[in-house]
Amino acid sequence: MHSAVFLIEFGAIILGLGLLGRFAGRFRFSPIPLYLLAGLAFGKGGLLPLGASEEFVAIGAEIGVILLLLMLGLEYTASDLVSNLKTQYPAGLVDFALNALPGAAAALLLGWGPVAAVVLAGVTWISSSGVIAKVLGDLGRLGNRETPVILSILVLEDLAMAVYLPIITALLAGVGLAAGSATLAIALGVAGAVLFVAVRYGRLISRFVSSDDPEKLLLVVLGLTLLVAGVAQQLQVSAAVGAFLVGIALSGEVAEGAHALLSPLRDLFAAVFFVFFGLHTDPSSIPPVILPALALAVVTALTKVATGYWAARRAGIGVKGRWRAGGTLVARGEFSIVIAGLAVSAGVQPQMGPFATAYVLILVVVGPLTARFTEPIAAAVTRWRGGGGERPGADAPPTARKSPVALEDPIAPGDPIALEDPSAVPAPYDTPYDGLAPRGEPSRTD
């Protein structure tokens, strides 16, 4: 009887997700907010709480985050990652300053104390890698010029979690300096070792994983990813970081084959992850904290937009790409909930749980919308104010100004493509460094 109820509940969830996805696709927006609202409706305190399938949904949600980060890693090579981290670390510092400090200040203003301030700083600092990975795929922006900047910031945040989580765990537990230092050293060592193996021995790993049989390739890649993610999490390092680095380590035909095989699984389990997030939110706990959570959400949404804009400008991206980068980074999600959950379990501040849930829920719904509409809204405001926009090529690096014309925006399926006479285009081309990578440049997305 229990198995029958489980099949009915889980089947209804999957069917409902499919219908919601189809509805979102018809109006060309991300289905993530609909998945979250569905989770609220069928979670604790919702219209029709689920019971039998909750444990399976929780496991599926963990797999969903892991697959989202694995697929992101498959888009880039190890050399891409290292070069981006070297060039983008100032953006990570700006990200911390603009987004962690408002959370700490809010906790102090609410009278929660210094430990709660450190916790809330983490909640507001870290963007949701899972949500952003899904949004980038939904909007067809994986090949955009600003996407490596976004991913660099996300990776810096995830790697920073290897330092932050042991520190916050030690603070909440009240352990001594020696024990906290040992935990931190282990976490940093594991993260560094996995990154070193991915960069140095990526080709050997790809050769080991490679197979002409799709079934064997799927099993080996999926098994390796889950194994590395589990070991990383056991050693106090994010499972998401482990999965991302596995994707980085795979290259060539192996990466292409794994991408094609794992895409349907990623879409399934990613949808389950967003439903799970809503299932564990009691709607009745949100109203008492909604106003301060909303105020903090507005402030930190603006600071994330500013972070992405600054980082993209520093990387030589055009104005449109800067706004897209900023809007994409707004969403918070899995890490924020994990951090708040640690504080609630330690009994630091009872209101931390509902407050963090309301905050994350606001931004995880708003995040896909800001990713989609920040750039067109900014362009409309600029036109309304009578601004002339950027001078073509003014912020593009020298190599970009002399390269073939880059597409300003991705071409959506079904859009007509106008062919122009190349002789009518003046040389050298002076196009903002703003859209997709030009054909012929090395790219994992070409």
Side-chain angles (χ1 to χ4, degrees):
M1 180 66 182
H2 180 77
S3 61
V5 174
F6 163 77
L7 292 174
I8 292 171
E9 286 186 357
F10 194 65
I13 291 173
I14 300 301
L15 176 60
L17 292 177
L19 296 175
L20 290 175
R22 183 180 296 180
F23 175 81
R26 178 170 297 180
F27 293 96
R28 299 189 67 182
F29 68 91
S30 174
I32 292 173
L34 298 182
Y35 294 161
L36 289 165
L37 293 175
L40 278 176
F42 297 102
K44 298 176 182 178
L47 299 176
L48 186 62
L50 302 178
S53 60
E54 184 173 345
E55 184 176 351
F56 183 83
V57 170
I59 296 172
E62 289 188 36
I63 295 174
V65 175
I66 289 170
L67 289 179
L68 281 167
L69 271 296
L70 169 66
M71 299 296 281
L72 270 183
L74 290 174
E75 296 288 338
Y76 297 91
T77 63
S79 59
D80 292 336
L81 174 65
V82 173
S83 62
N84 284 332
L85 292 181
K86 286 181 179 179
T87 57
Q88 292 299 330
Y89 75 89
L93 298 177
V94 171
D95 181 31
F96 170 78
L98 291 181
N99 298 287
L101 295 182
L108 294 176
L109 289 174
L110 291 169
W112 290 354
V115 175
V118 176
V119 173
L120 196 58
V123 172
T124 59
W125 174 20
I126 305 299
S127 298
S128 172
S129 299
V131 174
I132 292 171
K134 176 67 173 171
V135 168
L136 288 172
D138 288 343
L139 298 178
R141 294 182 181 174
L142 289 176
N144 276 35
R145 292 286 191 179
E146 74 273 10
T147 298
V149 176
I150 296 170
L151 296 183
S152 296
I153 293 174
L154 294 179
V155 172
L156 286 168
E157 288 179 349
D158 285 348
L159 291 176
M161 284 294 97
V163 179
Y164 176 82
L165 286 177
I167 292 175
I168 196 65
T169 302
L171 283 175
L172 293 173
V175 301
L177 179 63
S181 300
T183 303
L184 177 60
I186 293 172
L188 290 176
V190 172
V194 174
L195 180 59
F196 174 79
V197 171
V199 173
R200 186 72 179 269
Y201 301 105
R203 291 185 179 180
L204 293 177
I205 295 173
S206 295
R207 194 176 305 167
F208 167 74
V209 171
S210 179
S211 174
D212 293 332
D213 188 336
E215 178 185 352
K216 294 183 178 63
L217 179 62
L218 173 63
L219 293 175
V220 172
V221 172
L222 184 58
L224 178 65
T225 303
L226 295 176
L227 177 63
V228 172
V231 171
Q233 187 161 309
Q234 187 69 25
L235 295 173
Q236 304 299 317
V237 181
S238 165
V241 170
F244 182 83
L245 294 177
V246 169
I248 288 290
L250 301 179
S251 60
E253 294 182 0
V254 174
E256 295 175 5
H259 191 284
L261 292 171
L262 289 169
S263 291
L265 284 177
R266 173 202 59 188
D267 294 339
L268 170 62
F269 285 107
V272 171
F273 161 70
F274 297 117
V275 169
F276 174 76
F277 186 86
L279 287 175
H280 281 70
T281 302
D282 186 352
S284 64
S285 67
I286 294 177
V289 295
I290 191 66
L291 290 180
L294 179 60
L296 185 59
V298 170
V299 171
T300 52
L302 295 175
T303 55
K304 274 292 182 182
V305 172
T307 299
Y309 188 96
W310 184 88
R313 180 179 181 179
R314 182 175 176 275
I317 310 299
V319 172
K320 290 185 178 181
R322 298 173 202 170
W323 287 115
R324 288 196 296 264
T328 303
L329 287 169
V330 167
R332 271 61 157 197
E334 59 277 5
F335 267 133
S336 299
I337 293 299
V338 169
I339 294 167
L342 291 173
V344 172
S345 299
V348 171
Q349 176 54 243
Q351 287 185 306
M352 178 71 75
F355 183 90
T357 298
Y359 170 82
V360 172
L361 187 62
I362 292 168
L363 290 183
V364 86
V365 172
V366 171
L369 301 178
T370 58
R372 174 68 180 85
F373 296 110
T374 297
E375 181 261 312
I377 289 174
V381 170
T382 301
R383 289 193 299 268
W384 177 71
R385 294 177 60 184
E390 64 176 341
R391 181 176 59 84
D395 62 344
T399 53
R401 298 182 193 178
K402 297 180 181 179
S403 63
V405 175
L407 295 178
E408 186 72 5
D409 290 299
I411 300 172
D415 285 353
I417 303 176
L419 299 177
E420 297 183 2
D421 181 6
S423 63
V425 183
Y429 301 121
D430 203 16
T431 304
Y433 192 46
D434 212 16
L436 292 172
R439 279 292 172 193
E441 288 190 4
S443 173
R444 293 286 287 275
T445 56
D446 282 348

